[in-house]
Amino acid sequence: MAVYDGLKATQEHLLDVAKACALAAGKAPAMTHRLEIMAEIVTDEDLNPMIDVLATLGENSAFQLHDAVAFQDLAKRGMMPPVLLLGADLTKPALWDCGACGFKTCGEYVKYTSKNKGVGVGGYGPTCVWKAIDFGTACDFACACAAQHRTEARIMFSVGAVSMLLGRLEGASFVLGLPIGPIGKNLWFDR
């Protein structure tokens, strides 16, 4: 029989939780059944470029600074959580001619998007509303899975935006990040 350090074992288990959350996102119910969810789990020193960019952006934005400081504190304590990145290409239409995107038909939408990709911070469009709903549901399922494992379940736009700037999840028009953890005090809300 072995004796395990509880804190170390818990920290190691967070990667398994991240994998379960990725599975939950991929198995989420969808209205269109035409959305390919992309997922990547980033750990340890591979998170440093994202933290550096968050800190740089934080020089002009308290939003990014808050997240950078939380990650930096976790890194100092050796408790860096794995981060699940979820992304999808939301620019491909569901082909329902619903008009929710602002175009009368999906054909008009496709004609426009084939020549114009909008520029945004952390995402670009235009976006098919139905694909956005499916993506949101997939992210909700990942968060619910994290909560079922009693880990943090705060999906982060800032981490997703920075990951896109760094070229992660190529082909995604929108990315969100889900840190799995930290263990103990909730640094995202209790700073």
Side-chain angles (χ1 to χ4, degrees):
M1 186 138 210
V3 176
Y4 297 94
D5 177 300
L7 187 59
K8 184 178 177 186
T10 303
Q11 186 68 28
E12 291 170 359
H13 180 64
L14 293 178
L15 182 57
D16 292 328
V17 175
K19 292 174 185 177
C21 292
L23 176 64
K27 297 298 285 180
M31 294 168 59
T32 67
H33 298 285
R34 296 182 182 133
L35 183 65
E36 186 176 321
I37 299 292
M38 300 174 211
E40 183 176 89
I41 299 170
V42 185
T43 63
D44 304 320
E45 64 276 349
D46 288 325
L47 289 166
N48 290 338
M50 293 194 320
I51 297 167
D52 292 343
V53 173
L54 278 173
T56 300
L57 294 173
E59 294 173 7
N60 296 308
S61 168
F63 172 63
Q64 281 92 358
L65 179 62
H66 177 276
D67 292 340
V69 169
F71 275 115
Q72 289 166 342
D73 184 55
L74 289 167
K76 285 178 193 171
R77 295 189 298 144
M79 298 181 68
M80 186 65 76
V83 174
L84 171 62
L85 298 176
L86 295 170
D89 183 357
L90 306 180
T91 64
K92 296 177 183 174
L95 302 175
W96 292 347
D97 290 336
C98 70
C101 63
F103 293 89
K104 284 186 178 182
T105 67
C106 291
E108 289 179 25
Y109 173 91
V110 169
K111 184 177 178 182
Y112 178 83
T113 58
S114 67
K115 296 176 184 172
N116 303 285
K117 292 284 186 193
V119 177
V121 177
Y124 62 86
T127 295
C128 173
V129 172
W130 300 106
K131 297 288 184 83
I133 291 169
D134 283 350
F135 182 65
T137 302
C139 292
D140 287 346
F141 267 60
C143 289
C145 181
Q148 288 171 340
H149 286 274
R150 305 301 183 253
T151 63
E152 190 56 55
R154 180 180 184 257
I155 199 95
M156 298 172 69
F157 172 79
S158 62
V159 172
V162 165
S163 70
M164 285 188 75
L165 290 172
L166 294 171
R168 296 203 174 271
L169 293 182
E170 189 176 329
S173 68
F174 196 76
V175 178
L176 293 173
L178 176 60
I180 309 296
I183 300 163
K185 183 181 176 188
N186 184 339
L187 293 181
W188 312 117
F189 300 109
D190 295 344
R191 296 240 34 104

